[in-house]
Amino acid sequence: MSQSVPDASVHSLEEHRAAKDAAATPIQPDAPDVSAEVEAVDRPDNPLADWLTVPDAPLLPAWARSWKSINANVTALGRLTWWHSRYHSIRVPKYLIKTVLLACRGFYRAAKGLWPTLSAQDHSATVKALRAQVKVRPEDVDLAARHQAAHAARTHARRWRFGAAATAVATAAVGVALADPLVQTGIASAITVPLAYLGRGEETQLLDHATPPLRVDMSAQQLNDALRAAGLIKQGKGDDEGPKVSCIMGPVRDGRGWAVVFDLPRGGGKTASDVLAKREVLAQELGVDEIQIVMSRVRAAQGGNAGRVSMWVADDDPYLADPTPSPLEKLERFSIWEPIPFGQDARGTRVSVPVVWQSMFFGGLPRRGKTFTQRLLTAAGLLDPWVRHYVADFKGGQDWMQMRQVAHRLVLGAEDDAIAAFKDMLQELLTEMERRFAILRELPTSICPEGKLTPAIVEKYKMPFILFTVDELQEAFLALGDEKERKAVIDDMARIARRGPAAGFISNYASQRPDAESVPTKLREIITIRACTQVTDQTSSDMVLGKGKASMGADASVLSEDHKGVVVLVTGPASFATVKNDLLTTAAFNAMCAKGRTMRKDIGQLTGDAAGDLATAAAENGVRIPPILSDVLEVMQHSPRMYTRDLIDRLVNLDEDTYGDYDAESLAKELEAAGVKRTSKQVKINGVNGAGYQRRDIEGAVPVTT
C-alpha cells in the first residue's frame, strides 16, 4: 500500500531566523514592554502607581466579616447587657441610699455657696472699712453718715434676699404638698439629682464597678506575653519589647470565648506546630485550663501558612454542659451513606462522622461513656435496613443485649463458647468479603465504576453494608491463651479492617486497654477513625489516636473525670476535634433495635440469629415469656448444654442485681415455674458429666408462635 505525501517545501533554518529577527519590532532600552500582560497601574513607569494601588486590607473589621461572627458578637453583647441589668437592678436600694447621702452633701454645699449672697457679704467689706475709719476719727460727721448709710444698705439687702429665698422655698413646699404623687416624685427627682451631682466627689461613685465574670479578657498584648513566656517569641532587650505576632483576626468575641488568628513573627524559628505543642504552658499564662484552649493550624487551603495559628479560648469549660439528645432517636429512617450525627465541639458546632469506607476504634478508661459513644454509630446502622449487623460484646452485660432483635450474628461474653462463636463469625465475615469481591470484579464499570459498592448494587445484588461491632476487644485477646490463635484472630480482624471497606464492611472496635498486648499495633494502625475518652497520660492517648497526635493537640489526657461522654476524635492525619457526644440512652437504643427489626422484616433483610430469636418473636406475637427464660436463652445461645454453676455465673454477669443471690435450687424452681421441663438433670460436656441444662429444654418452654 502506498501513501500519498503532500507537497512539501524545504526551508533554510538560518534564513527563517534572520527573517524573524528583521520583522521583529525593535525595543528601546528605556521603553516599557507594552506586549507584557501587566496592568497599567503596576507598570514601573506609571507615576501614579503608588497612589492608585488598592490597599490589601479588609473593608470590614474582623468581627463583621461573617454572619456567624456578627451573630456571636451580638449574642455576646446581649448576654453582657442582660448581666449588667441584673447586676445593677439588685443594687437599686443601695444606689437610692447613696443618692440621698450625696444629695444631702450637695444641699450642704449649695447652702454654703449661697450664704455669702444671702448675707450680703458684698456689702460687708465697705461697712467694715467705714467702721474702722469712724473709730479712728469719731469727730468726722460725714464719715459717720457714710458708715450709717452703708450699714443700712446691707441690712436692706439681707432682708429682701432672705425674704425672696424664704418665699421661694415656701411656695415650692406648698406646690409639692398639693401636687399629685407622680408629680411629687418628678419634682423630688428634679431636686435630688442635681443636688446629688453637686455632692459628688473625685473618688465618689454612685454605681458599683461591674466586672463581668469573664475568666479571659483577651487582648493582643496578653497573647504576645503568653507566647513570649512560652518561649515561642524572642525576648526584647532593654526598652524594646521584642517581636510580636501579627493578628490576622481578632481577638474578637466568638460565642462563649475569644477567637484570634495570628502569624508568628519571622526570624524566630518557630512554627505553628511548636505553638500546638505548648498548649499547657499557654493555658497557664492565659490563666485558664488547657481544656479551654482550642488551637489548630491554618492550612494553605484556608489562606494559611506554616506559622499561622487559629486559637479559641473559652470563658469556662465548654464540655460540662448537659449532653444533647441524639437526633437519631427521633428519626424514622437513616441512610448509612450520610455522615452520622455524633456531637458538638467546644464552640457548639455540630460534628458528624462519615463511616462509609471507614473503620473505627474507640479507647479510653472505663466508665467514661466509651460504649455509649460507640453505640451512636451502630445505632445509625439500625435505622438503615440495608445494614447487616455482626456484634461481639465480650463484657457480656446489658449494653448490647437487645441487638439480638437485629443482629445477624451476636456474641456476648468472653467464655470459651463465646470465643469459639467469635472465631466462627470472623470466618463467616472473611468468606462473605471474598464472595463480594468476586462479584464486584465481574461487574462492568458502568455498574461498578470504582470497584466498590454503590446504593444500586446494595439493593440489586442483596449486598447490604456489614457493620462489624466489637466491644471490650481486650477481653477476647486475653481469653485467647494460645499465641498462635491470638495472632490468627488479629490477622483476621486486620484483614477485615484493611480490605473490607471496599466491599461494604464497616469495622467498629472498642477497648479499655489500647496497649500493644491488649490491642496490637498491627490492628490499631490501620484504623482510619479513632476516638478516645479520658486516659492517664499522653502515651496512652497516642496509643488510641496515633503516634504524635498529642503533640499536635489531639490529647485525651487533658480530659477529667467530669468529662463523661467527651472524646478526642481523629478523622484524618491532621483532622481532630474534642467532641461532647450526643446522648443515646440504653432505653432509646433498645427502642431503635425494635424499630430496626421491623424495618428489616418489611424488606426481607431479617437474617441469622435475629431471625431465629424465639424470645423476640414471642413478644412480637403478644406472648409474654418470663424474663428468666429470655436471660437463660441469651447466655446459652452459643452452647447446646451448660453446667448449672456456669449458667448461674453467666446470669450474674448479665444482671448481678437480679441473679446475685441465685443458687442451683432457686434457679431450678424459677425455671420450673416458667415451664421448663428438663429431659435430664445431668449434661455431658467434653466427656464430663455434671448438673446442668439443655438449651432445647429452655427453648421448649417458649410458647410456639406463628
Side-chain angles (χ1 to χ4, degrees):
M1 180 180 292
S2 62
Q3 285 184 325
S4 60
V5 180
D7 294 339
S9 58
V10 180
H11 297 276
S12 171
L13 182 60
E14 296 296 332
E15 293 178 0
H16 176 73
R17 289 175 177 170
K20 184 177 179 181
D21 292 340
T25 304
I27 300 177
Q28 300 299 327
D30 297 332
D33 185 3
V34 296
S35 64
E37 295 183 0
V38 179
E39 293 186 9
V41 175
D42 295 332
R43 285 173 49 174
D45 63 330
N46 184 5
L48 301 178
D50 293 339
W51 182 69
L52 292 176
T53 300
V54 178
D56 187 15
L59 299 178
L60 295 174
W63 62 268
R65 293 175 194 168
S66 68
W67 283 112
K68 181 179 179 181
S69 179
I70 293 174
N71 182 63
N73 283 277
V74 169
T75 302
L77 177 61
R79 289 200 306 266
L80 181 64
T81 303
W82 174 235
W83 186 89
H84 276 288
S85 300
R86 290 179 295 158
Y87 179 91
H88 291 296
S89 62
I90 63 177
R91 288 167 174 78
V92 167
K94 178 182 178 181
Y95 295 158
L96 290 177
I97 295 174
K98 289 177 70 174
T99 301
V100 172
L101 294 176
L102 290 175
C104 292
R105 183 195 291 178
F107 178 78
Y108 168 75
R109 290 179 178 177
K112 184 178 179 181
L114 288 174
W115 180 254
T117 301
L118 294 176
S119 59
Q121 290 186 8
D122 51 334
H123 293 273
S124 296
T126 302
V127 172
K128 290 179 180 179
L130 290 174
R131 183 185 299 145
Q133 294 179 20
V134 168
K135 288 182 179 179
V136 174
R137 293 181 295 170
E139 69 281 0
D140 192 339
V141 177
D142 182 59
L143 186 62
R146 288 166 52 199
H147 173 261
Q148 184 177 5
H151 187 276
R154 186 180 69 177
T155 302
H156 178 72
R158 284 178 175 176
R159 287 175 178 173
W160 76 262
R161 290 179 184 181
F162 273 107
T167 302
V169 171
T171 303
V174 172
V176 170
L178 297 178
D180 294 332
L182 185 61
V183 178
Q184 290 177 344
T185 303
I187 295 174
S189 300
I191 296 173
T192 303
V193 171
L195 289 177
Y197 180 78
L198 183 62
R200 78 193 191 284
E202 293 183 359
E203 299 181 357
T204 303
Q205 265 191 329
L206 175 63
L207 302 180
D208 290 348
H209 182 64
T211 303
L214 295 179
R215 294 188 60 184
V216 182
D217 188 11
M218 198 170 182
S219 64
Q221 182 62 41
Q222 186 179 11
L223 176 63
N224 279 286
D225 292 343
L227 293 170
R228 192 168 287 111
L232 297 168
I233 299 180
K234 292 181 178 179
Q235 296 283 351
K237 297 181 180 180
D239 295 336
D240 183 14
E241 190 177 3
K244 298 181 179 180
V245 299
S246 175
C247 289
I248 308 303
M249 184 197 78
V252 295
R253 290 295 297 174
D254 184 357
R256 301 186 66 84
W258 292 88
V260 60
V261 178
F262 61 88
D263 283 342
L264 291 171
R266 298 183 181 181
K270 299 296 182 181
T271 65
S273 298
D274 296 322
V275 178
L276 302 184
K278 293 282 188 176
R279 179 183 179 186
E280 185 176 1
V281 179
L282 291 175
Q284 188 273 332
E285 293 297 330
L286 293 173
V288 298
D289 189 85
E290 59 263 39
I291 196 66
Q292 296 174 240
I293 297 183
V294 179
M295 293 190 296
S296 63
R297 283 189 56 182
V298 181
R299 295 287 181 173
Q302 290 79 39
N305 54 67
R308 182 166 295 181
V309 179
S310 173
M311 177 186 290
W312 186 77
V313 184
D315 296 334
D316 47 26
D317 192 328
Y319 304 107
L320 294 182
D322 293 334
T324 303
S326 173
L328 295 172
E329 185 177 346
K330 297 182 179 180
L331 295 180
E332 292 299 322
R333 186 163 179 154
F334 183 81
S335 173
I336 200 69
W337 293 92
E338 300 295 328
I340 298 175
F342 190 71
Q344 57 186 17
D345 63 12
R347 302 194 195 191
T349 304
R350 294 293 305 170
V351 176
S352 297
V353 178
V355 297
V356 175
W357 322 130
Q358 305 292 333
S359 52
M360 299 162 285
F361 179 74
F362 296 83
L365 294 175
R367 289 173 295 279
R368 295 293 182 272
K370 182 177 75 280
T371 298
F372 278 74
T373 304
Q374 185 189 22
R375 280 196 321 201
L376 274 174
L377 304 179
T378 300
L382 292 172
L383 299 180
D384 188 339
W386 291 103
V387 174
R388 182 176 296 166
H389 290 271
Y390 286 72
V391 180
D393 175 21
F394 293 108
K395 181 169 57 179
Q398 295 279 352
D399 294 331
W400 298 94
M401 180 181 292
Q402 292 304 315
M403 283 297 294
R404 67 187 184 188
Q405 303 182 58
V406 180
H408 181 79
R409 292 287 180 260
L410 177 63
V411 174
L412 296 177
E415 294 77 17
D416 292 342
D417 56 345
I419 296 298
F422 179 64
K423 290 191 289 187
D424 292 341
M425 178 193 294
L426 289 176
Q427 295 307 312
E428 181 179 335
L429 287 170
L430 290 172
T431 302
E432 175 65 14
M433 183 174 69
E434 296 303 331
R435 185 188 74 85
R436 292 188 175 201
F437 277 128
I439 295 175
L440 294 175
R441 284 194 297 267
E442 297 298 326
L443 294 177
T445 56
S446 59
I447 298 177
C448 185
E450 298 180 3
K452 299 179 181 180
L453 283 185
T454 65
I457 293 175
V458 167
E459 298 190 19
K460 181 177 180 181
Y461 294 91
K462 305 299 182 185
M463 289 196 294
F465 272 96
I466 291 181
L467 189 52
F468 180 34
T469 303
V470 183
D471 195 7
E472 305 296 349
L473 188 57
Q474 79 284 348
E475 296 296 331
F477 292 147
L478 294 177
L480 292 167
D482 185 69
E483 183 64 26
K484 186 176 180 180
E485 280 189 336
R486 183 171 177 270
K487 184 178 182 301
V489 169
I490 293 172
D491 290 341
D492 289 344
M493 296 185 67
R495 285 180 62 192
I496 293 172
R498 182 172 56 251
R499 298 186 60 226
F505 284 61
I506 303 171
S507 300
N508 184 9
Y509 303 151
S511 173
Q512 291 182 8
R513 295 173 54 191
D515 52 57
E517 180 180 354
S518 301
V519 185
T521 305
K522 179 180 181 180
L523 178 60
R524 280 185 284 119
E525 290 303 314
I526 61 175
I527 304 296
T528 52
I529 296 176
R530 307 186 187 190
C532 186
T533 61
Q534 183 200 13
V535 290
T536 55
D537 51 35
Q538 290 187 354
T539 302
S540 299
S541 179
D542 280 351
M543 283 184 177
V544 178
L545 302 177
K547 186 177 180 180
K549 286 295 188 292
S551 62
M552 297 172 58
D555 182 11
S557 66
V558 303
L559 302 176
S560 69
E561 293 80 0
D562 298 325
H563 293 129
K564 293 183 179 180
V566 179
V567 300
V568 178
L569 176 68
V570 173
T571 56
S575 302
F576 60 88
T578 302
V579 182
K580 187 172 183 64
N581 303 325
D582 295 333
L583 176 63
L584 184 66
T585 63
T586 300
F589 180 76
N590 294 343
M592 292 176 66
C593 289
K595 187 184 299 183
R597 180 180 179 88
T598 301
M599 296 170 66
R600 283 159 176 79
K601 288 181 65 176
D602 292 342
I603 65 171
Q605 284 297 309
L606 188 66
T607 58
D609 293 347
D613 184 19
L614 296 178
T616 303
E620 286 180 330
N621 287 274
V623 178
R624 184 181 182 276
I625 66 174
I628 185 66
L629 288 182
S630 176
D631 292 343
V632 170
L633 285 173
E634 194 66 43
V635 299
M636 292 186 68
Q637 63 174 331
H638 308 303
S639 302
R641 60 192 64 85
M642 187 176 292
Y643 294 133
T644 302
R645 61 178 182 274
D646 294 336
L647 180 57
I648 293 175
D649 289 342
R650 295 194 186 188
L651 288 173
V652 172
N653 185 53
L654 181 68
D655 189 351
E656 185 175 2
D657 294 336
T658 302
Y659 302 109
D661 298 328
Y662 269 48
D663 55 18
E665 185 178 354
S666 58
L667 177 62
K669 289 182 179 179
E670 189 83 13
L671 289 175
E672 185 178 355
V676 175
K677 297 179 180 179
R678 301 170 70 178
T679 56
S680 173
K681 295 185 178 181
Q682 295 286 317
V683 295
K684 190 174 184 179
I685 302 175
N686 296 327
V688 179
N689 282 322
Y693 292 85
Q694 301 279 354
R695 188 175 65 195
R696 64 173 181 267
D697 294 340
I698 309 298
E699 293 175 346
V702 179
V704 178
T705 58
T706 57

